[in-house]
Amino acid sequence: SSDLNTTNDMPIVYPPSLGALGLVPFNVNPHFLDPDPNSRHMGETREQRITQYHEELNTPPVLGLREGSVLLVEGDKATLLGVTGARLFLRGKAPTEHLPGEDFSFLLKDP
């Protein structure tokens, strides 16, 4: 990820930086959960938080990886693997659903 601004867990102390390792030029939201319409949880969904993140200018794409999915990156190739899909969030666009086997190499190119 390029930064930690889309983490699911808020730090208990203020970190010196929200920068990440920068291995890829986009953010990964692991353990992505779809909203549960039967839930009594009154907080924000992950999708709402990512949408709010994208209200800021120059925010990178966010790939929401569900449990059971992984993004394999080898050189300039990125492929979604596993048994569940992923949800891709791009600033100013509606989120899109993706299935295992899909090519995400386009995300590796710096904007």
Side-chain angles (χ1 to χ4, degrees), residues 29 32-35 47 50 62-66 80 85-89 94-98 104:
N29 185 264
F32 180 79
L33 295 172
D34 294 299
E47 184 164 333
I50 294 168
V62 177
L63 184 61
L65 293 175
R66 293 186 179 93
L80 182 64
R87 196 157 174 89
L88 179 62
F89 299 86
T96 53
E97 284 295 319
H98 298 272
F104 280 89

Side-chain angles (χ1 to χ4, degrees), residues 76-91:
D76 62 354
K77 181 133 176 83
T79 308
L80 182 64
L81 302 177
V83 295
T84 57
R87 196 157 174 89
L88 179 62
F89 299 86
L90 301 171
R91 186 179 187 279

